[in-house]
Amino acid sequence: MTKTDIARRVYNHTWKLDPIIRSLLDTDFYKLLMLQMIWGMYPRVDATFTLINRTTSVRLADEIDEGALREQLDHARSLRFSKKEMIWLGGNTFYGRKQIFEPEFLAWLEDFQLPDYHLEKRDGQYELTFAGPWMYTTLWEIPVLAIINELRSRAALREYGPFALDVLYARAKAKMWAKTELLKQLPDINISDFGTRRRHSFLWQRWCVEALKEGIGKSFTGTSNVKLAMDTDLEAVGTNAHELPMVLAALADSEAELRQAPYRVLKDWQRYYGGNLLIVLPDAFGTAAFLRDAPDWVADWTGFRPDSAPPIEGGERIISWWRQKGKDPRQKMLIFSDGLEAETIVETYRHFHGRVRMAFGWGTNLTNDFEGCAPVPTTRLNPISLVCKVTEANGRHAVKLSDNPAKATGDEAEIARYIRIFGNEERVEQFVKV
Amino acid sequence: MTKTDIARRVYNHTWKLDPIIRSLLDTDFYKLLMLQMIWGMYPRVDATFTLINRTTSVRLADEIDEGALREQLDHARSLRFSKKEMIWLGGNTFYGRKQIFEPEFLAWLEDFQLPDYHLEKRDGQYELTFAGPWMYTTLWEIPVLAIINELRSRAALREYGPFALDVLYARAKAKMWAKTELLKQLPDINISDFGTRRRHSFLWQRWCVEALKEGIGKSFTGTSNVKLAMDTDLEAVGTNAHELPMVLAALADSEAELRQAPYRVLKDWQRYYGGNLLIVLPDAFGTAAFLRDAPDWVADWTGFRPDSAPPIEGGERIISWWRQKGKDPRQKMLIFSDGLEAETIVETYRHFHGRVRMAFGWGTNLTNDFEGCAPVPTTRLNPISLVCKVTEANGRHAVKLSDNPAKATGDEAEIARYIRIFGNEERVEQFVKV
């Protein structure tokens, strides 16, 4: 009594494309928050985003077919926000606030389309850039990373039969579930999914999000993925990213303006958002420099997201800065989001427990951990350190220093100039796994 | 674009029964080999089989609904060997021999139906007996065990949602695959699936069999499950069981005849089968007694299946007996099949490697190992020590002593009489897990 759905089977076999990005909401929530501010304040700024593969040993152009990549990018460009998605964005409450998005912004968003891209192969890598108005190019970051990472997974999985795939996913599920069991021992922990950009695949991210929802219950406070937040009735979470200070720094016409850029971003941000959204991302040009020169009002913000220093060290630095500014860290929040694994989450939680509010934005190790899962060991399922960074703003170089020189991006001469201006204090090279 | 197969869904929701036994071939191969001999030599012997739950802490009648049990038993009774199955039995080569089943036997088998049963509840357990001609009742053993074990699994799983079930099976698959990886390090090992009777479910047994096939390749020498052998093109394996000496012993009219019963069985067997099928099961009334009184020709048989002593100890006893009889153990075979786990298989293999040919019949721990797999720990998925034993033959008690007094079955006075006759040498109580 074998039952085959003939229509489904024929349909499956004539598929032209299995789209990786099926919705413009399949992006990180902070991109939309930043987009509203860019749209409102910097509509005439051009910004170029560039794909950067820091894992140079992986030759992406050898692993991923160019035609398949173009098909996926073109498919993403064909997407528009759907009526249901627009209604959800307009009607939902984010961070306890209704109508976080202005009606005029939403009206503009209705016609949004991802802009064109420039793609070529060079030395086994893809040169992939998105040039044009910042308020368009910015939304490419997440889908392009998700597309390349999933195409890479698909290429690696192509050699497996159905049975090997079954074991692979079974192991990955067992592994993921063991993490939830570890984490649920920490009763008042707050963890969110930040794993969209480096996910193994969309379906796997969804599985992991559902696993966390079931596994750690109320401790799972949301997902940065807007589509998953909508589909699974979770909170959409996230605040802002390095591109804001990077672009504002690039636009600065003097050294004084450049030094002020990181704080001007915060002022801009505060015009749009308040409450729990007042999270400082301090490391664009080095956290030490940021804290050294920060005006006192920065200490009034809700919290910090140290994103490139080891979590305990980075957190301690900010706590002691709050104390210097006369603030009680127990009223403040630290959001950890850099290269977290279940074990580092536990360790960091135990270290700071009772001394500061904490949240963990769990990325790659949540949505792309297949280590030891393949029937035959392979490195092709290991996540790589792939980013899509703003590299130019209005024709000028955009630069990130980071607390970790290995995560710096941009023109080398310009990096040197930024180091001269911001200093090189406490910037320590750390191995970047992803 | 959610696609729901409406017809399939309606069909699923109106299911009257999800049958556990869907084919009369869903049984152990040795039952068919024994059946041909019973049909040929003992067609007028009546034999009663009785369900015995040695894990008394598990109250089967509380866990399993009586109506559901009757439905499954009745469904099994409705089955007949299909045309395709008969062709396969008649046309296949078993143990290198064509037409192992006589045409007259196959003609009789075509109309075979499982006979009626007697079922009642008592003290939280089921009293379940099958009385009538041996050549009919014998075939109940495997399906009734599979039915009760799977009904018990289903009852335990009823409380889980789809997500918890997904994690449960993912973990079980990961666990099973780790076993294949351990075992494939032993290059010339021979392992067969003997797990039908204690399986978690039919579908899970099939998964495990496919996992072994993929995982250890040629080292996986077959399955005792005739249906799975047919469906997956594996060898059907197995020889004979305790019911033969037990019935013949029960029929014995004198002490001398009783003492000779275990050897008479072998003579009968040899009339039907030769070659690799000449495997002695020595422990029905204690291996020590069996070896002590065995005629020399027993040492000419291909091998032994020590089934109730610890494998290394049991194997050494038989090897030294072969040596006493002037036989080279390296030409002989030991088949281990009692309570094997991956680790005991490895240990036993390493112990005897190069000294004797070995085969492992892997049962419960292959097809029903969910320890540590449930999202919330439960004992309800642990396998239990459930057997279906011949308890009467032509109105007389049938008895098994075993090398392990915990595995003895039958009337207590009769057990005492058998011990007087066969002796109690080297019978050592061992914990019976399954």
Side-chain angles (χ1 to χ4, degrees):
Chain A
M1 284 228 305
T2 309
K3 291 202 183 57
T4 306
D5 180 337
I6 307 173
R8 163 66 61 114
R9 188 169 174 134
V10 170
Y11 172 74
N12 285 349
H13 280 254
T14 54
W15 256 5
K16 294 285 174 296
L17 181 72
D18 183 2
I20 290 170
I21 303 297
R22 288 166 186 253
S23 156
L24 287 175
L25 284 191
D26 187 7
T27 192
D28 277 348
F29 183 58
Y30 74 175
K31 296 300 296 198
L32 298 182
L33 292 175
M34 291 191 288
L35 182 62
Q36 176 167 245
M37 189 177 109
I38 296 164
W39 165 85
M41 298 184 69
Y42 303 100
R44 276 173 202 90
V45 171
D46 281 340
T48 301
F49 282 74
T50 305
L51 185 77
I52 303 168
N53 174 15
R54 297 191 287 225
T55 308
T56 48
S57 58
V58 170
R59 292 168 63 88
L60 283 176
D62 295 346
E63 292 193 7
I64 296 172
D65 176 66
E66 183 179 337
L69 174 54
R70 285 185 185 274
E71 277 177 351
Q72 292 292 343
L73 295 170
D74 293 342
H75 179 79
R77 290 200 66 216
S78 76
L79 297 171
R80 301 292 182 279
F81 289 97
S82 76
K83 199 166 167 183
K84 176 177 84 173
E85 292 170 343
M86 293 307 304
I87 293 168
W88 185 83
L89 283 176
N92 196 13
T93 301
F94 298 98
Y95 284 96
R97 191 174 135 191
K98 287 203 170 190
Q99 290 195 299
I100 206 165
F101 298 110
E102 298 169 15
E104 296 74 23
F105 171 68
L106 290 176
W108 172 79
L109 203 61
E110 228 165 272
D111 298 319
F112 184 91
Q113 179 185 6
L114 287 168
D116 210 353
Y117 57 88
H118 174 82
L119 173 66
E120 55 185 295
K121 282 186 185 184
R122 185 162 306 178
D123 300 331
Q125 300 293 345
Y126 283 116
E127 281 195 359
L128 182 49
T129 51
F130 309 92
W134 189 12
M135 65 185 182
Y136 287 96
T137 55
T138 182
L139 274 208
W140 259 121
E141 179 187 3
I142 308 302
V144 73
L145 294 174
I147 285 171
I148 291 185
N149 284 320
E150 185 161 347
L151 283 177
R152 189 168 168 262
S153 304
R154 290 183 184 180
L157 297 176
R158 201 160 291 140
E159 63 196 81
Y160 295 110
F163 194 86
L165 287 172
D166 194 12
V167 171
L168 176 92
Y169 284 106
R171 283 180 166 175
K173 286 177 179 179
K175 199 173 185 191
M176 174 58 211
W177 194 255
K179 294 177 191 177
T180 72
E181 292 192 331
L182 181 70
L183 294 170
K184 80 173 172 197
Q185 294 164 19
L186 311 177
D188 55 357
I189 199 166
N190 291 323
I191 295 176
S192 300
D193 156 40
F194 275 25
T196 300
R197 67 190 64 199
R198 302 261 169 70
R199 68 192 182 198
H200 168 82
S201 72
F202 172 73
L203 291 176
W204 179 245
Q205 180 183 21
R206 190 170 72 186
W207 193 94
C208 293
V209 163
E210 285 170 354
L212 270 182
K213 198 175 167 183
E214 176 113 356
I216 66 172
K218 282 197 318 182
S219 293
F220 184 45
T221 44
T223 169
S224 65
N225 186 296
V226 195
K227 179 165 173 51
L228 286 177
M230 182 178 80
D231 290 351
T232 60
D233 264 328
L234 284 163
E235 293 290 321
V237 294
T239 52
N240 53 59
H242 295 110
E243 68 180 280
L244 299 180
M246 287 170 76
V247 170
L248 266 61
L251 297 179
D253 286 322
S254 68
E255 272 197 19
E257 238 181 85
L258 176 52
R259 280 184 213 278
Q260 283 308 306
Y263 314 108
R264 190 173 149 206
V265 165
L266 302 186
K267 286 279 184 201
D268 288 351
W269 189 259
Q270 202 155 10
R271 280 178 57 184
Y272 277 84
Y273 309 109
N276 281 327
L277 283 162
L278 295 182
I279 301 295
V280 182
L281 181 66
D283 67 327
F285 312 116
T287 300
F290 180 91
L291 295 175
R292 183 193 65 214
D293 298 336
D296 286 345
W297 57 261
V298 174
D300 295 329
W301 275 40
T302 310
F304 272 65
R305 178 159 76 91
D307 194 45
S308 53
I312 289 176
E313 191 183 315
E316 287 293 356
R317 176 154 66 176
I318 289 153
I319 286 176
S320 73
W321 182 82
W322 274 323
R323 288 225 181 83
Q324 283 169 31
K325 298 285 175 181
K327 303 294 175 186
D328 179 357
R330 285 172 302 176
Q331 308 300 318
K332 297 291 185 184
M333 172 170 286
L334 287 176
I335 298 177
F336 299 99
S337 59
D338 183 37
L340 294 175
E341 307 198 354
E343 294 73 17
T344 38
I345 293 175
V346 172
E347 189 192 357
T348 307
Y349 168 90
R350 293 221 164 102
H351 180 86
F352 288 114
H353 191 248
R355 298 171 55 207
V356 64
R357 290 156 60 209
M358 279 176 278
F360 295 89
W362 198 9
T364 316
N365 183 256
L366 168 62
T367 59
N368 199 357
D369 179 13
F370 284 75
E371 205 184 315
C373 295
V376 175
T378 176
T379 58
R380 294 186 63 192
L381 290 170
N382 294 356
I384 58 175
S385 186
L386 189 73
V387 293
C388 181
K389 284 287 173 191
V390 61
T391 46
E392 275 185 38
N394 284 349
R396 300 178 183 177
H397 289 301
V399 159
K400 176 183 164 188
L401 293 183
S402 169
D403 287 334
N404 177 0
K407 292 180 90 173
T409 61
D411 175 76
E412 297 213 355
E414 201 62 2
I415 289 178
R417 185 170 78 94
Y418 274 55
I419 289 177
R420 269 200 315 279
I421 293 168
F422 289 101
N424 204 11
E425 290 165 62
E426 297 177 33
R427 292 180 70 240
V428 181
E429 181 104 12
Q430 314 275 349
F431 172 66
V432 179
K433 190 173 169 192
V434 286
Chain B
M1 285 231 303
T2 309
K3 292 204 182 58
T4 306
D5 181 338
I6 307 174
R8 163 66 63 114
R9 186 168 175 136
V10 170
Y11 173 74
N12 286 349
H13 280 255
T14 55
W15 256 5
K16 293 287 176 294
L17 180 72
D18 183 1
I20 291 170
I21 302 296
R22 289 166 186 252
S23 156
L24 287 175
L25 284 191
D26 187 5
T27 193
D28 277 347
F29 183 58
Y30 74 177
K31 296 299 299 196
L32 298 182
L33 292 175
M34 290 191 288
L35 182 61
Q36 176 167 245
M37 187 177 111
I38 296 164
W39 165 85
M41 299 185 67
Y42 303 99
R44 276 175 201 87
V45 171
D46 281 338
T48 300
F49 282 74
T50 305
L51 184 78
I52 302 168
N53 174 15
R54 296 190 288 223
T55 308
T56 48
S57 59
V58 169
R59 292 167 62 88
L60 284 176
D62 295 347
E63 292 192 7
I64 296 172
D65 176 67
E66 183 178 337
L69 174 54
R70 285 186 185 276
E71 276 177 350
Q72 292 292 344
L73 296 170
D74 292 343
H75 179 81
R77 289 201 64 216
S78 76
L79 297 171
R80 301 291 183 279
F81 289 98
S82 75
K83 201 166 165 182
K84 176 178 84 172
E85 292 170 344
M86 294 305 305
I87 293 168
W88 185 83
L89 282 176
N92 196 13
T93 300
F94 298 98
Y95 284 95
R97 191 174 137 191
K98 286 204 169 191
Q99 291 196 298
I100 205 166
F101 298 111
E102 300 169 15
E104 297 75 21
F105 171 68
L106 289 176
W108 171 80
L109 202 62
E110 228 166 272
D111 298 320
F112 184 91
Q113 180 185 5
L114 287 169
D116 209 354
Y117 58 88
H118 174 82
L119 173 66
E120 56 184 293
K121 282 188 184 183
R122 184 161 308 179
D123 300 331
Q125 300 293 347
Y126 284 114
E127 280 196 1
L128 182 48
T129 51
F130 308 93
W134 189 12
M135 64 185 184
Y136 287 96
T137 56
T138 182
L139 274 208
W140 259 121
E141 179 187 5
I142 308 302
V144 73
L145 294 173
I147 284 170
I148 291 185
N149 285 320
E150 185 161 346
L151 283 176
R152 189 169 167 260
S153 304
R154 289 182 184 181
L157 297 176
R158 199 159 292 140
E159 63 196 80
Y160 294 110
F163 193 86
L165 287 172
D166 195 13
V167 171
L168 175 93
Y169 285 105
R171 284 181 164 173
K173 285 177 179 179
K175 199 174 185 192
M176 174 60 210
W177 193 255
K179 293 178 191 175
T180 71
E181 293 192 331
L182 181 70
L183 294 170
K184 80 173 170 198
Q185 294 164 20
L186 312 176
D188 56 356
I189 199 167
N190 292 322
I191 295 177
S192 300
D193 156 40
F194 275 24
T196 300
R197 68 190 63 199
R198 301 263 169 70
R199 68 190 182 201
H200 168 82
S201 72
F202 172 74
L203 291 177
W204 179 245
Q205 181 183 20
R206 190 169 72 185
W207 194 93
C208 293
V209 162
E210 284 170 354
L212 270 182
K213 198 175 168 183
E214 175 112 358
I216 66 172
K218 283 198 319 183
S219 293
F220 184 43
T221 44
T223 169
S224 65
N225 187 296
V226 195
K227 179 168 173 48
L228 287 178
M230 182 177 80
D231 289 351
T232 59
D233 265 328
L234 284 163
E235 293 290 319
V237 295
T239 52
N240 53 57
H242 296 110
E243 67 181 282
L244 300 180
M246 288 170 75
V247 169
L248 267 62
L251 298 179
D253 286 323
S254 68
E255 273 198 19
E257 237 179 85
L258 176 52
R259 281 184 212 279
Q260 282 309 307
Y263 313 110
R264 187 170 152 209
V265 165
L266 303 186
K267 287 278 185 204
D268 287 353
W269 189 258
Q270 203 154 10
R271 280 179 55 183
Y272 276 84
Y273 309 110
N276 281 327
L277 283 162
L278 295 182
I279 301 295
V280 182
L281 181 66
D283 66 327
F285 313 116
T287 300
F290 180 91
L291 295 175
R292 181 193 65 216
D293 298 338
D296 286 345
W297 57 263
V298 173
D300 295 329
W301 275 40
T302 309
F304 273 66
R305 179 159 75 92
D307 194 47
S308 53
I312 290 175
E313 190 183 316
E316 288 292 356
R317 177 155 64 179
I318 289 153
I319 285 176
S320 73
W321 181 81
W322 273 325
R323 289 227 180 82
Q324 283 171 32
K325 299 284 175 181
K327 302 293 174 188
D328 179 358
R330 285 172 303 177
Q331 309 300 319
K332 298 291 185 183
M333 174 169 284
L334 287 176
I335 297 176
F336 299 99
S337 59
D338 183 37
L340 294 177
E341 308 198 355
E343 293 74 17
T344 39
I345 292 174
V346 172
E347 188 192 358
T348 307
Y349 168 89
R350 294 223 162 101
H351 180 86
F352 288 114
H353 191 249
R355 297 173 54 207
V356 63
R357 289 155 61 209
M358 280 177 277
F360 295 89
W362 198 10
T364 316
N365 183 257
L366 169 62
T367 59
N368 199 356
D369 179 13
F370 284 75
E371 205 183 317
C373 295
V376 176
T378 176
T379 57
R380 295 185 63 191
L381 290 171
N382 294 355
I384 57 175
S385 185
L386 189 71
V387 293
C388 181
K389 283 288 172 190
V390 62
T391 45
E392 275 184 39
N394 283 350
R396 297 175 185 180
H397 289 300
V399 159
K400 176 184 164 188
L401 293 184
S402 169
D403 287 334
N404 177 0
K407 291 180 91 173
T409 62
D411 175 77
E412 297 213 357
E414 201 63 1
I415 288 177
R417 183 170 79 93
Y418 275 55
I419 289 177
R420 270 201 314 279
I421 292 168
F422 288 102
N424 204 11
E425 290 165 62
E426 298 177 33
R427 292 180 70 239
V428 181
E429 181 104 11
Q430 315 275 350
F431 171 67
V432 179
K433 191 172 168 192
V434 287

